[in-house]
Amino acid sequence: MAEPEFTATGVRIGRGLRSLTRAGQVRISGGRLELLTSYGSEIDSAPVQAVRASRPRFASGGRALADLNGHRYLLTLRAHDPAPGEPGPPTAGRFIEAVRRAAGRGG
């Protein structure tokens, strides 16, 4: 299995006003974006080319929106990258950049 291009753990994943998991995982691997629960069960996945990632208009720096399969997910990552060797999710900006890079849209 190929090394994931992007991995974030400890991510809060929500849809609308509903929280789906408070310690989920976001992974980009093999051209697919996967949203997983803290137990590793799949919430949703889609080819990266079909995913739209952006920042919410009026939210803190640690949040990103991901549109997959007609559903909009709010991902709460960190406002600042963790220190080297420290666990935790990277920033929302790194997530958006990783989606664009994996989809071949530059960035």
Side-chain angles (χ1 to χ4, degrees), residues 17-83:
L17 297 175
R18 185 171 166 230
S19 178
L20 302 175
T21 184
R22 290 187 289 167
Q25 298 177 25
V26 177
R27 183 172 38 200
I28 298 174
S29 180
R32 291 190 69 80
L33 172 70
E34 299 174 308
L35 302 178
L36 307 169
T37 66
S38 56
Y39 299 107
S41 301
E42 185 176 291
I43 295 170
D44 205 347
S45 71
V48 186
Q49 291 82 5
V51 173
R52 196 174 87 208
S54 60
R55 289 187 189 270
R57 260 192 203 153
F58 302 107
S60 68
R63 294 188 178 186
L65 293 172
D67 293 322
L68 285 83
N69 302 321
H71 299 286
R72 177 169 285 172
Y73 296 94
L74 178 63
L75 310 176
T76 304
L77 296 109
R78 281 197 174 173
H80 305 286
D81 278 322

Side-chain angles (χ1 to χ4, degrees), residues 5-17:
E5 299 161 29
F6 178 87
T7 302
T9 58
V11 179
R12 177 179 221 124
I13 301 172
R15 199 166 101 196
L17 297 175

